[in-house]
Amino acid sequence: MDYYDSQQTNDYMQPEEDWDRDMLLDPAWEKQQRKTFTAWCNSHLRKAGTQIENIEEDFRDGLKLMLLLEVISGERLAKPERGKMRVHKISNVNKALDFIASKGVKLVSIGAEEIVDGNVKMTLGMIWTIILRFAIQDISVEETSAKEGLLLWCQRKTAPYKNVNIQNFHISWKDGLGFCALIHRHRPELIDYGKLRKDDPLTNLNTAFDVAEKYLDIPKMLDAEDIVGTARPDEKAIMTYVSSFYHAFSGAQKAETAANRICKVLAVNQENEQLMEDYEKLASDLLEWIRRTIPWLENRAPENTMQAMQQKLEDFRDYRRLHKPPKVQEKCQLEINFNTLQTKLRLSNRPAFMPSEGKMVSDINNAWGGLEQAEKGYEEWLLNEIRRLERLDHLAEKFRQKASIHESWTDGKEAMLQQKDYETATLSEIKALLKKHEAFESDLAAHQDRVEQIAAIAQELNELDYYDSPSVNARCQKICDQWDNLGALTQKRREALERTEKLLETIDQLYLEYAKRAAPFNNWMEGAMEDLQDTFIVHTIEEIQGLTTAHEQFKATLPDADKERQAILGIHNEVSKIVQTYHVNMAGTNPYTTITPQEINGKWDHVRQLVPRRDQALLEEHTRQQQNERLRKQFGAQANVIGPWIQTKMEEIGRISIEMHGTLEDQLSHLRQYEKSIINYKPKIDQLEGDHQQIQEALIFDNKHTNYTMEHIRVGWEQLLTTIARTINEVENQILTRDAKGISQEQMNEFRASFNHFDRKKTGMMDSEDFRACLISMGYNMGEAEFARIMSIVDPNRLGVVTFQAFIDFMSRETADTDTADQVMASFKILAGDKNYITVDELRRELPPDQAEYCIARMAPYSGPDAVPGALDYMSFSTALYGESDL
């Protein structure tokens, strides 16, 4: 089955039928097609600031597929669906397929479902269809087109080169000489073709691919190893890559035919050259600052302490508050200077100013975008690092507390378990030792959870890269080793006691009961003391309320616990009474436990003391969270006012820029008053910055009371200042154009009315199709070449849009008085009199010194039959003023 069936040129598609029909693809070809098609798509998608990584995955939702078609066609597609459901993805892919079909391409058996499902064969077939339609079909060489035309172009270009015989788009390119020949034919300085060898295809291919990527802006779409290692390289991959050479060299040839126009008036030339130098210097300084600042923002070296991270955050705030605002103003001024320079160049019929490589306004905007992206990433990293250090400090303190409690509990336990007191003990003492050992084992098991918690906390500290992890690990290992030893000693002592257990018959039930109840109660008290002293971190009112509720529930259990304590003490008192009554030789100690009533009472008193402290800590935290909530609401209330205000002002400025009320001076005055009112709003922005700083100092990370962040407000404010400044500059340039061309206010209004009528999208700019319709409505009858010439005048940067300033420049030039040059040359004849020349002394006498010297430096001396030393002729004067193209 065919993936693609063109209604116009079916012949060049026939070689692909077998592969498409059987749905089979050689793995090596599939690999080549993946890389080539991905690189080809990215070469266009990068114009829109994006790219793809996986060709069958990244086109599944249809968004980047629609964007690719818009970039390569220069047309707008239907608005895409932004949902994540399958139906939304299918809808977007269908819109892309419908657009392809609208270009005269008949798609067979390629459905949106296969693309959404990530069918690699269908996806590669669809991309090949797009490449054929938009990159190959329109190629025309000597009455041949598409594939045949591209092949004929390759044959013509490589004909003079030895060892190159291009007959197809697969094996003819395996040795790499074909690619090198194409590059050398157009750019001989890039490759030393004489040093290439046919028997070294890898070197030839890699040389061609590297040079094309570095100097011709052709991305690397193929791997030399894949081409050499494949008996028959994939034809589609080779065609796609070779078509990039065709378009690159075809565009270069057209560019070489464009000539720079000579400046009209010398004084304007001087001023424009100075503006160019100022722009270059300001652009270089700004780019250098961005270049120096981005590495600082990209530095992710972590700090070990919260204080150090807080200092980094403060340095970042100083950068935002002190260092960046002047650069924002410089960037705005740079754009204003650029627009003013372009306007003056158009008024003097000069070519548009093209800054040095990497210093275009778009380059600066891209660099600025990278700076802001680095800012965002740096701020997020700072906040995440602060959270991480906060978490680490909490975990480290918790580890120390639990480790100290455990070490305190295990102190002396090993020595106790190694005692041999059972060897000389009486029968009752032996039985008492056995019961005591059973109670110890119960206590040991109760402490198992604490040991596991200690190990878990140590593990988490290691995973979070805690700076003091070695000491934590050493302490944790010591605790674990000691715990294992305690287990072994406990088992060994039990075995010894059980061997003598047969000799024991008497047991004191009261001591046993005391031990069994005292041990868990003692563990409960230790756990309660640990919980009451445990630190906590909360970020919301709800979290602190949850902790308070849990604490209240704990306090509700204290009466029952006190009853248990009194019951345990009652058992001990009863034992003491029995010992005293029956003169039992117990030495006043409980053989089954080491927990004394004094210890129970002491820990109980400690628990009672810790409860009000916990109450106070929770109350203080609750107060702090209430203050944080107040800060959230305060920030949210202001942000919810300032955000819409900025948006409203942006929309109002847009309306002012396209309205026709009053003269241009009235509009300029209105805009400057508007600018003043915006600047007067700055204190509210500063107040919001202050509130934001308080929020950050309070470590508040979210705010449910507003959808606006300080970053949104900053960006919107900077865009508002830039927009009002740019709009004022545009009106000033319109006044400059009007005065320079002698345009009346009524003509300006007519120009504005026509422009607004054909600005269908109401963006303040006409796209190329709207501009074409406007010219046709005004009586222009032009073909594609003439329209392309006009577009090169009104859109020198090839952005695909026409501003109102460019529109009135063009219209004024079309309607302006054409007698200016004749008048200037008539002035020359007045100064020359009956002669055909002007002497240097006469020129210095009639013109200002700097203008006279500038003319003299650029004019050839008089060379007529009666040449006079130090004289300038008519032809030299005319050439210096208007250039040979105007003569």
Side-chain angles (χ1 to χ4, degrees):
M1 58 183 68
D2 293 338
Y3 281 105
Y4 174 88
D5 183 11
S6 173
Q7 295 177 351
Q8 298 175 352
T9 56
N10 288 326
D11 294 339
Y12 72 89
M13 291 300 299
Q14 297 306 316
E16 286 72 42
E17 287 182 352
D18 292 340
W19 175 78
D20 292 339
R21 179 171 53 252
D22 297 334
M23 290 300 291
L24 297 175
L25 187 61
D26 184 90
W29 289 7
E30 179 178 337
K31 178 182 178 183
Q32 292 175 23
Q33 286 187 18
R34 280 174 179 266
K35 178 175 180 63
T36 302
F37 291 178
T38 299
W40 185 86
C41 292
N42 285 333
S43 70
H44 294 284
L45 287 175
R46 66 183 180 182
K47 301 173 184 177
T50 186
Q51 64 178 14
I52 62 172
E53 300 292 339
N54 189 313
I55 195 166
E56 67 266 25
E57 289 295 328
D58 294 347
F59 284 139
R60 290 180 64 181
D61 60 2
L63 295 177
K64 289 189 178 179
L65 179 58
M66 295 178 69
L67 181 59
L68 173 64
L69 291 172
E70 289 184 345
V71 172
I72 63 179
S73 68
E75 299 179 24
R76 296 289 295 180
L77 274 69
K79 184 177 181 182
E81 300 287 344
R82 292 296 178 180
K84 301 297 183 181
M85 298 177 65
R86 178 179 173 84
V87 65
H88 297 140
K89 298 179 180 179
I90 292 175
S91 175
N92 289 338
V93 175
N94 274 327
K95 291 176 181 177
L97 296 179
D98 291 341
F99 178 81
I100 296 173
S102 71
K103 296 302 177 182
V105 178
K106 183 179 180 181
L107 297 170
V108 179
S109 298
I110 297 182
E113 291 78 7
E114 286 83 1
I115 305 304
V116 173
D117 291 338
N119 187 314
V120 63
K121 302 297 188 300
M122 289 294 184
T123 302
L124 292 175
M126 178 190 65
I127 297 303
W128 175 238
T129 298
I130 294 174
I131 293 173
L132 283 174
R133 174 60 184 84
F134 293 99
I136 299 177
Q137 179 177 326
D138 294 334
I139 295 176
S140 178
V141 178
E142 298 182 9
E143 298 182 355
T144 62
S145 60
K147 177 181 177 180
E148 290 75 18
L150 182 60
L151 183 61
L152 180 59
W153 179 79
C154 295
Q155 293 170 342
R156 292 288 187 270
K157 295 298 181 180
T158 60
Y161 293 85
K162 65 179 181 178
N163 295 330
V164 178
N165 184 17
I166 305 300
Q167 297 298 326
N168 50 55
F169 288 106
H170 37 84
I171 60 175
S172 294
W173 303 87
K174 286 191 65 174
D175 58 8
L177 292 177
F179 295 110
C180 293
L182 284 178
I183 296 174
H184 187 266
R185 182 64 182 272
H186 295 89
R187 295 289 299 277
E189 76 279 9
L190 299 180
I191 291 181
D192 188 352
Y193 189 86
K195 294 183 178 180
L196 300 178
R197 303 199 327 268
K198 187 176 181 64
D199 59 352
D200 191 7
L202 282 176
T203 299
N204 300 339
L205 289 167
N206 283 323
T207 298
F209 296 166
D210 293 341
V211 168
E213 184 176 35
K214 183 175 181 181
Y215 298 101
L216 304 179
D217 199 26
I218 299 176
K220 188 175 182 182
M221 301 182 184
L222 302 168
D223 285 329
E225 293 77 7
D226 294 341
I227 296 177
V228 174
T230 304
R232 185 176 185 269
D234 181 67
E235 186 179 57
K236 298 176 178 61
I238 298 294
M239 282 182 65
T240 301
Y241 189 52
V242 171
S243 69
S244 298
F245 283 87
Y246 173 87
H247 291 294
F249 292 131
S250 176
Q253 290 173 349
K254 294 178 181 178
E256 291 174 356
T257 61
N260 294 325
R261 289 173 175 76
I262 302 173
C263 61
K264 249 179 156 180
V265 180
L266 301 179
V268 174
N269 290 353
Q270 288 177 303
E271 181 179 0
N272 290 343
E273 289 171 2
Q274 184 61 45
L275 286 173
M276 293 176 190
E277 293 177 2
D278 294 342
Y279 174 89
E280 291 281 343
K281 183 178 184 307
L282 189 57
S284 298
D285 293 343
L286 185 58
L287 288 171
E288 174 62 20
W289 178 82
I290 293 174
R291 185 192 65 78
R292 286 187 285 101
T293 304
I294 287 180
W296 174 68
L297 294 172
E298 292 177 344
N299 182 16
R300 299 292 189 272
E303 299 291 346
N304 293 331
T305 64
M306 180 69 76
Q307 182 179 3
M309 287 306 300
Q310 291 284 6
Q311 182 58 47
K312 281 194 171 185
L313 182 60
E314 187 60 30
D315 294 341
F316 180 71
R317 291 194 188 115
D318 289 340
Y319 157 80
R320 277 270 182 81
R321 186 173 56 252
L322 302 176
H323 303 298
K324 184 182 177 184
K327 299 302 178 182
V328 173
Q329 184 61 33
E330 289 181 14
K331 178 175 175 292
C332 177
Q333 187 60 45
L334 189 69
E335 293 181 3
I336 292 174
N337 291 350
F338 182 84
N339 292 335
T340 301
L341 175 59
Q342 298 293 38
T343 299
K344 292 184 177 181
L345 290 173
R346 284 193 296 269
L347 291 174
S348 58
N349 290 328
R350 286 286 307 278
F353 169 56
M354 296 297 292
S356 302
E357 182 178 0
K359 296 180 183 178
M360 292 287 293
V361 173
S362 59
D363 296 327
I364 295 172
N365 288 333
N366 290 337
W368 191 264
L371 175 71
E372 293 184 332
Q373 187 65 28
E375 278 184 24
K376 182 179 179 182
Y378 188 67
E379 184 176 26
E380 292 175 354
W381 175 78
L382 285 176
L383 297 178
N384 289 335
E385 277 296 297
I386 289 174
R387 294 191 190 100
R388 185 181 71 85
L389 291 176
E390 186 180 33
R391 173 68 176 164
L392 284 175
D393 291 344
H394 170 68
L395 287 175
E397 181 60 27
K398 192 172 184 178
F399 175 85
R400 287 190 288 270
Q401 287 184 4
K402 287 185 177 292
S404 297
I405 293 172
H406 177 78
E407 290 167 347
S408 175
W409 179 83
T410 58
D411 184 34
K413 294 295 189 296
E414 291 174 297
M416 180 197 74
L417 292 172
Q418 292 174 339
Q419 290 179 0
K420 303 208 183 273
D421 50 347
Y422 53 85
E423 294 180 349
T424 58
T426 64
L427 183 61
S428 59
E429 290 173 343
I430 290 298
K431 287 191 174 289
L433 287 175
L434 185 59
K435 296 299 180 182
K436 179 180 179 181
H437 189 72
E438 291 176 353
F440 172 77
E441 286 181 326
S442 176
D443 199 10
L444 186 70
H447 281 76
Q448 177 68 34
D449 289 341
R450 180 176 290 117
V451 175
E452 293 176 354
Q453 291 173 6
I454 290 172
I457 294 173
Q459 178 64 26
E460 188 171 358
L461 287 171
N462 278 279
E463 293 174 353
L464 294 176
D465 197 22
Y466 182 54
Y467 77 96
D468 199 20
S469 292
S471 64
V472 170
N473 293 336
R475 191 172 183 182
C476 180
Q477 187 62 45
K478 182 180 178 182
I479 290 173
C480 292
D481 293 342
Q482 185 185 38
W483 184 256
D484 293 338
N485 190 40
L486 282 175
L489 292 176
T490 300
Q491 181 64 25
K492 183 177 179 180
R493 183 171 176 82
R494 166 168 281 282
E495 292 173 354
L497 291 173
E498 287 178 347
R499 285 194 299 268
T500 60
E501 186 180 15
K502 296 179 181 179
L503 302 175
L504 305 177
E505 297 177 353
T506 308
I507 188 170
D508 191 339
Q509 294 296 333
L510 289 175
Y511 268 172
L512 181 60
E513 180 68 16
Y514 175 89
K516 287 183 177 181
R517 297 181 68 172
F521 185 72
N522 181 66
N523 288 336
W524 177 85
M525 287 192 297
E526 288 181 349
M529 289 189 293
E530 183 179 341
D531 292 340
L532 290 170
Q533 296 178 86
D534 189 17
T535 58
F536 53 84
I537 298 174
V538 295
H539 298 289
T540 64
I541 289 290
E542 291 76 11
E543 291 178 1
I544 192 62
Q545 288 174 346
L547 290 177
T548 302
T549 301
H551 183 61
E552 292 299 325
Q553 292 173 352
F554 166 76
K555 289 197 295 183
T557 65
L558 290 180
D560 292 337
D562 190 36
K563 291 179 182 179
E564 178 67 12
R565 180 184 66 87
Q566 293 176 2
I568 293 172
L569 293 179
I571 294 173
H572 182 270
N573 293 335
E574 187 175 353
V575 170
S576 299
K577 183 178 179 180
I578 294 174
V579 170
Q580 187 175 11
T581 301
Y582 295 99
H583 306 287
V584 179
N585 185 20
M586 303 299 295
T589 61
N590 189 329
Y592 305 113
T593 183
T594 59
I595 302 173
T596 66
Q598 293 77 15
E599 185 178 353
I600 291 175
N601 286 330
K603 290 182 178 179
W604 177 257
D605 292 339
H606 192 201
V607 169
R608 297 298 298 271
Q609 293 172 1
L610 290 175
V611 169
R613 297 179 189 174
R614 186 72 167 186
D615 290 336
Q616 181 62 28
L618 290 172
L619 179 61
E620 291 174 354
E621 182 61 27
H622 188 272
T623 302
R624 190 176 75 86
Q625 289 301 325
Q626 286 179 329
Q627 175 64 15
N628 288 352
E629 185 67 12
R630 184 191 66 78
L631 290 175
R632 288 188 183 96
K633 291 180 178 179
Q634 179 176 323
F635 179 85
Q638 294 187 70
N640 289 335
V641 172
I642 292 176
W645 181 87
I646 291 176
Q647 182 62 32
T648 300
K649 294 301 179 183
M650 290 287 289
E651 294 173 355
E652 291 176 355
I653 292 172
R655 289 196 299 270
I656 292 174
S657 66
I658 64 174
E659 289 177 351
M660 297 185 294
H661 302 305
T663 65
L664 290 176
E665 285 77 4
D666 294 337
Q667 292 183 25
L668 181 62
S669 175
H670 189 190
L671 285 170
R672 284 175 174 164
Q673 292 175 3
Y674 217 78
E675 181 184 35
K676 183 177 181 181
S677 67
I678 291 173
I679 294 173
N680 291 337
Y681 202 77
K682 183 65 166 56
K684 294 186 178 180
I685 304 296
D686 295 338
Q687 181 180 356
L688 190 63
E689 285 280 8
D691 292 343
H692 178 63
Q693 181 173 351
Q694 293 181 28
I695 285 178
Q696 287 195 324
E697 290 172 351
L699 299 180
I700 299 173
F701 304 110
D702 53 12
N703 192 342
K704 65 183 180 181
H705 300 292
T706 181
N707 292 325
Y708 291 97
T709 65
M710 196 62 230
E711 182 63 23
H712 293 151
I713 299 299
R714 291 192 193 104
V715 172
W717 178 252
E718 292 171 1
Q719 290 178 347
L720 181 60
L721 293 178
T722 302
T723 300
I724 186 65
R726 186 185 298 114
T727 304
I728 290 175
N729 177 251
E730 289 175 354
V731 175
E732 290 175 340
N733 287 338
Q734 292 173 22
I735 294 175
L736 181 62
T737 302
R738 183 199 64 190
D739 294 344
K741 297 297 186 178
I743 302 173
S744 67
Q745 186 61 44
E746 290 75 12
Q747 289 177 309
M748 289 295 292
N749 291 340
E750 290 176 1
F751 291 158
R752 170 57 76 180
S754 297
F755 185 88
N756 290 345
H757 175 74
F758 286 95
D759 179 14
R760 295 185 175 91
K761 298 177 183 177
K762 303 307 178 185
T763 60
M765 295 179 289
M766 289 190 290
D767 59 27
S768 59
E769 292 305 317
D770 291 340
F771 182 56
R772 183 196 297 270
C774 181
L775 292 179
I776 292 173
S777 72
M778 299 174 70
Y780 281 82
N781 184 12
M782 59 204 164
E784 288 297 330
E786 176 63 14
F787 181 69
R789 184 192 68 80
I790 295 175
M791 282 299 295
S792 68
I793 296 174
V794 299
D795 182 22
N797 292 327
R798 299 182 180 178
L799 300 178
V801 295
V802 179
T803 64
F804 180 65
Q805 182 62 43
F807 177 71
I808 63 173
D809 287 346
F810 174 74
M811 295 307 299
S812 63
R813 186 171 66 177
E814 292 294 308
T815 59
D817 183 8
T818 58
D819 294 335
T820 303
D822 294 337
Q823 294 173 0
V824 173
M825 299 315 301
S827 300
F828 174 90
K829 294 181 179 180
I830 293 174
L831 293 176
D834 295 334
K835 310 185 300 297
N836 194 32
Y837 58 85
I838 302 176
T839 65
V840 172
D841 292 338
E842 290 173 336
L843 193 63
R844 286 173 174 161
R845 183 173 63 253
E846 298 297 333
L847 295 181
D850 58 338
Q851 300 297 315
E853 297 301 326
Y854 194 76
C855 290
I856 294 168
R858 283 159 176 76
M859 293 184 187
Y862 175 55
S863 57
D866 300 323
V868 177
L872 307 174
D873 67 351
Y874 177 87
M875 184 61 69
S876 297
F877 184 82
S878 176
T879 301
L881 283 180
Y882 301 108
E884 295 180 358
S885 62
D886 291 337
L887 293 177

